[in-house]
mmCIF file with all atom_site columns, all heavy atoms in Angstrom:
data_model
loop_
_atom_site.group_PDB
_atom_site.id
_atom_site.type_symbol
_atom_site.label_atom_id
_atom_site.label_alt_id
_atom_site.label_comp_id
_atom_site.label_asym_id
_atom_site.label_entity_id
_atom_site.label_seq_id
_atom_site.pdbx_PDB_ins_code
_atom_site.Cartn_x
_atom_site.Cartn_y
_atom_site.Cartn_z
_atom_site.occupancy
_atom_site.B_iso_or_equiv
_atom_site.pdbx_formal_charge
_atom_site.auth_seq_id
_atom_site.auth_comp_id
_atom_site.auth_asym_id
_atom_site.auth_atom_id
_atom_site.pdbx_PDB_model_num
ATOM   1  N  N   . ARG B 1 32  ? 197.850 126.575 114.633 1.00 96.00 ? 32  ARG B N   1
ATOM   2  C  CA  . ARG B 1 32  ? 197.923 127.856 115.362 1.00 96.00 ? 32  ARG B CA  1
ATOM   3  C  C   . ARG B 1 32  ? 199.369 128.219 115.608 1.00 96.00 ? 32  ARG B C   1
ATOM   4  O  O   . ARG B 1 32  ? 200.284 127.577 115.079 1.00 96.00 ? 32  ARG B O   1
ATOM   5  C  CB  . ARG B 1 32  ? 197.142 127.714 116.652 1.00 96.00 ? 32  ARG B CB  1
ATOM   6  C  CG  . ARG B 1 32  ? 197.588 126.525 117.562 1.00 96.00 ? 32  ARG B CG  1
ATOM   7  C  CD  . ARG B 1 32  ? 196.764 126.688 118.820 1.00 96.00 ? 32  ARG B CD  1
ATOM   8  N  NE  . ARG B 1 32  ? 197.066 125.669 119.787 1.00 96.00 ? 32  ARG B NE  1
ATOM   9  C  CZ  . ARG B 1 32  ? 196.617 125.792 121.087 1.00 96.00 ? 32  ARG B CZ  1
ATOM   10 N  NH1 . ARG B 1 32  ? 195.970 126.819 121.461 1.00 96.00 ? 32  ARG B NH1 1
ATOM   11 N  NH2 . ARG B 1 32  ? 196.892 124.893 121.930 1.00 96.00 ? 32  ARG B NH2 1
ATOM   12 N  N   . ILE B 1 98  ? 190.708 132.337 120.647 1.00 98.00 ? 98  ILE B N   1
ATOM   13 C  CA  . ILE B 1 98  ? 191.024 130.898 120.542 1.00 98.00 ? 98  ILE B CA  1
ATOM   14 C  C   . ILE B 1 98  ? 190.444 130.322 119.293 1.00 98.00 ? 98  ILE B C   1
ATOM   15 O  O   . ILE B 1 98  ? 189.301 130.497 118.931 1.00 98.00 ? 98  ILE B O   1
ATOM   16 C  CB  . ILE B 1 98  ? 190.441 130.215 121.766 1.00 98.00 ? 98  ILE B CB  1
ATOM   17 C  CG1 . ILE B 1 98  ? 191.030 130.780 123.085 1.00 98.00 ? 98  ILE B CG1 1
ATOM   18 C  CG2 . ILE B 1 98  ? 190.643 128.679 121.661 1.00 98.00 ? 98  ILE B CG2 1
ATOM   19 C  CD1 . ILE B 1 98  ? 190.437 130.217 124.370 1.00 98.00 ? 98  ILE B CD1 1
ATOM   20 N  N   . ASP B 1 119 ? 196.079 121.526 118.358 1.00 92.00 ? 119 ASP B N   1
ATOM   21 C  CA  . ASP B 1 119 ? 195.529 121.978 119.667 1.00 92.00 ? 119 ASP B CA  1
ATOM   22 C  C   . ASP B 1 119 ? 194.802 120.771 120.258 1.00 92.00 ? 119 ASP B C   1
ATOM   23 O  O   . ASP B 1 119 ? 193.833 120.275 119.644 1.00 92.00 ? 119 ASP B O   1
ATOM   24 C  CB  . ASP B 1 119 ? 194.563 123.163 119.369 1.00 92.00 ? 119 ASP B CB  1
ATOM   25 C  CG  . ASP B 1 119 ? 193.497 123.441 120.440 1.00 92.00 ? 119 ASP B CG  1
ATOM   26 O  OD1 . ASP B 1 119 ? 193.513 122.733 121.502 1.00 92.00 ? 119 ASP B OD1 1
ATOM   27 O  OD2 . ASP B 1 119 ? 192.689 124.344 120.256 1.00 92.00 ? 119 ASP B OD2 1
ATOM   28 N  N   . HIS B 1 121 ? 192.772 120.362 122.329 1.00 95.00 ? 121 HIS B N   1
ATOM   29 C  CA  . HIS B 1 121 ? 191.326 120.484 122.671 1.00 95.00 ? 121 HIS B CA  1
ATOM   30 C  C   . HIS B 1 121 ? 190.459 120.748 121.484 1.00 95.00 ? 121 HIS B C   1
ATOM   31 O  O   . HIS B 1 121 ? 189.352 121.375 121.620 1.00 95.00 ? 121 HIS B O   1
ATOM   32 C  CB  . HIS B 1 121 ? 191.180 121.593 123.773 1.00 95.00 ? 121 HIS B CB  1
ATOM   33 C  CG  . HIS B 1 121 ? 191.633 121.146 125.111 1.00 95.00 ? 121 HIS B CG  1
ATOM   34 N  ND1 . HIS B 1 121 ? 193.007 121.156 125.378 1.00 95.00 ? 121 HIS B ND1 1
ATOM   35 C  CD2 . HIS B 1 121 ? 191.031 120.577 126.084 1.00 95.00 ? 121 HIS B CD2 1
ATOM   36 C  CE1 . HIS B 1 121 ? 193.148 120.682 126.607 1.00 95.00 ? 121 HIS B CE1 1
ATOM   37 N  NE2 . HIS B 1 121 ? 192.043 120.266 127.047 1.00 95.00 ? 121 HIS B NE2 1
ATOM   38 N  N   . SER B 1 294 ? 190.060 130.727 129.126 1.00 96.00 ? 294 SER B N   1
ATOM   39 C  CA  . SER B 1 294 ? 190.417 129.495 128.444 1.00 96.00 ? 294 SER B CA  1
ATOM   40 C  C   . SER B 1 294 ? 189.280 129.032 127.538 1.00 96.00 ? 294 SER B C   1
ATOM   41 O  O   . SER B 1 294 ? 188.148 129.475 127.617 1.00 96.00 ? 294 SER B O   1
ATOM   42 C  CB  . SER B 1 294 ? 190.804 128.399 129.445 1.00 96.00 ? 294 SER B CB  1
ATOM   43 O  OG  . SER B 1 294 ? 189.630 127.690 129.836 1.00 96.00 ? 294 SER B OG  1
ATOM   44 N  N   . CYS B 1 295 ? 189.555 128.003 126.720 1.00 97.00 ? 295 CYS B N   1
ATOM   45 C  CA  . CYS B 1 295 ? 188.589 127.381 125.877 1.00 97.00 ? 295 CYS B CA  1
ATOM   46 C  C   . CYS B 1 295 ? 187.444 126.798 126.611 1.00 97.00 ? 295 CYS B C   1
ATOM   47 O  O   . CYS B 1 295 ? 186.306 126.525 126.098 1.00 97.00 ? 295 CYS B O   1
ATOM   48 C  CB  . CYS B 1 295 ? 189.151 126.447 124.791 1.00 97.00 ? 295 CYS B CB  1
ATOM   49 S  SG  . CYS B 1 295 ? 190.018 125.117 125.588 1.00 97.00 ? 295 CYS B SG  1
ATOM   50 N  N   . CYS B 1 355 ? 194.168 132.346 124.586 1.00 94.00 ? 355 CYS B N   1
ATOM   51 C  CA  . CYS B 1 355 ? 194.298 131.292 125.563 1.00 94.00 ? 355 CYS B CA  1
ATOM   52 C  C   . CYS B 1 355 ? 194.730 131.849 126.891 1.00 94.00 ? 355 CYS B C   1
ATOM   53 O  O   . CYS B 1 355 ? 194.455 131.260 127.950 1.00 94.00 ? 355 CYS B O   1
ATOM   54 C  CB  . CYS B 1 355 ? 195.255 130.217 125.129 1.00 94.00 ? 355 CYS B CB  1
ATOM   55 S  SG  . CYS B 1 355 ? 194.751 129.407 123.625 1.00 94.00 ? 355 CYS B SG  1
ATOM   56 N  N   . CYS B 1 358 ? 196.090 130.120 130.275 1.00 85.00 ? 358 CYS B N   1
ATOM   57 C  CA  . CYS B 1 358 ? 196.113 128.686 130.105 1.00 85.00 ? 358 CYS B CA  1
ATOM   58 C  C   . CYS B 1 358 ? 197.375 128.186 129.446 1.00 85.00 ? 358 CYS B C   1
ATOM   59 O  O   . CYS B 1 358 ? 197.848 127.086 129.590 1.00 85.00 ? 358 CYS B O   1
ATOM   60 C  CB  . CYS B 1 358 ? 194.890 128.179 129.355 1.00 85.00 ? 358 CYS B CB  1
ATOM   61 S  SG  . CYS B 1 358 ? 194.745 126.397 129.258 1.00 85.00 ? 358 CYS B SG  1
ATOM   62 N  N   . ALA B 1 359 ? 197.973 129.124 128.633 1.00 78.00 ? 359 ALA B N   1
ATOM   63 C  CA  . ALA B 1 359 ? 199.120 128.688 127.817 1.00 78.00 ? 359 ALA B CA  1
ATOM   64 C  C   . ALA B 1 359 ? 200.311 129.598 127.967 1.00 78.00 ? 359 ALA B C   1
ATOM   65 O  O   . ALA B 1 359 ? 200.156 130.831 128.007 1.00 78.00 ? 359 ALA B O   1
ATOM   66 C  CB  . ALA B 1 359 ? 198.730 128.639 126.361 1.00 78.00 ? 359 ALA B CB  1
ATOM   67 N  N   . ASN B 1 377 ? 191.205 123.983 131.882 1.00 95.00 ? 377 ASN B N   1
ATOM   68 C  CA  . ASN B 1 377 ? 190.897 122.502 131.889 1.00 95.00 ? 377 ASN B CA  1
ATOM   69 C  C   . ASN B 1 377 ? 191.994 121.587 132.408 1.00 95.00 ? 377 ASN B C   1
ATOM   70 O  O   . ASN B 1 377 ? 191.849 120.484 132.573 1.00 95.00 ? 377 ASN B O   1
ATOM   71 C  CB  . ASN B 1 377 ? 190.505 122.128 130.474 1.00 95.00 ? 377 ASN B CB  1
ATOM   72 C  CG  . ASN B 1 377 ? 191.450 122.660 129.480 1.00 95.00 ? 377 ASN B CG  1
ATOM   73 O  OD1 . ASN B 1 377 ? 192.696 122.565 129.627 1.00 95.00 ? 377 ASN B OD1 1
ATOM   74 N  ND2 . ASN B 1 377 ? 190.900 123.266 128.408 1.00 95.00 ? 377 ASN B ND2 1
ATOM   75 N  N   . ARG B 1 378 ? 193.239 122.235 132.651 1.00 91.00 ? 378 ARG B N   1
ATOM   76 C  CA  . ARG B 1 378 ? 194.312 121.376 133.003 1.00 91.00 ? 378 ARG B CA  1
ATOM   77 C  C   . ARG B 1 378 ? 195.081 122.026 134.157 1.00 91.00 ? 378 ARG B C   1
ATOM   78 O  O   . ARG B 1 378 ? 195.252 123.204 134.177 1.00 91.00 ? 378 ARG B O   1
ATOM   79 C  CB  . ARG B 1 378 ? 195.298 121.232 131.824 1.00 91.00 ? 378 ARG B CB  1
ATOM   80 C  CG  . ARG B 1 378 ? 194.782 120.200 130.889 1.00 91.00 ? 378 ARG B CG  1
ATOM   81 C  CD  . ARG B 1 378 ? 195.877 119.793 130.032 1.00 91.00 ? 378 ARG B CD  1
ATOM   82 N  NE  . ARG B 1 378 ? 196.314 120.874 129.153 1.00 91.00 ? 378 ARG B NE  1
ATOM   83 C  CZ  . ARG B 1 378 ? 196.382 120.843 127.843 1.00 91.00 ? 378 ARG B CZ  1
ATOM   84 N  NH1 . ARG B 1 378 ? 195.996 119.696 127.250 1.00 91.00 ? 378 ARG B NH1 1
ATOM   85 N  NH2 . ARG B 1 378 ? 196.819 121.804 127.103 1.00 91.00 ? 378 ARG B NH2 1
HETATM 86 S  S1  . SF4 C 2 .   ? 192.774 127.678 126.360 1.00 73.42 ? 1   SF4 C S1  1
HETATM 87 FE FE1 . SF4 C 2 .   ? 194.357 126.273 126.928 1.00 73.42 ? 1   SF4 C FE1 1
HETATM 88 S  S2  . SF4 C 2 .   ? 193.528 124.232 126.584 1.00 73.42 ? 1   SF4 C S2  1
HETATM 89 FE FE2 . SF4 C 2 .   ? 192.287 125.709 125.466 1.00 73.42 ? 1   SF4 C FE2 1
HETATM 90 S  S3  . SF4 C 2 .   ? 193.175 125.756 123.377 1.00 73.42 ? 1   SF4 C S3  1
HETATM 91 FE FE3 . SF4 C 2 .   ? 194.146 127.399 124.621 1.00 73.42 ? 1   SF4 C FE3 1
HETATM 92 S  S4  . SF4 C 2 .   ? 195.993 126.484 125.495 1.00 73.42 ? 1   SF4 C S4  1
HETATM 93 FE FE4 . SF4 C 2 .   ? 194.686 124.782 124.787 1.00 73.42 ? 1   SF4 C FE4 1
#
Side-chain angles (χ1 to χ4, degrees):
Chain B
R32 56 176 180 167
I98 300 176
D119 158 1
H121 288 79
S294 88
C295 59
C355 296
C358 186
N377 44 49
R378 281 198 295 236

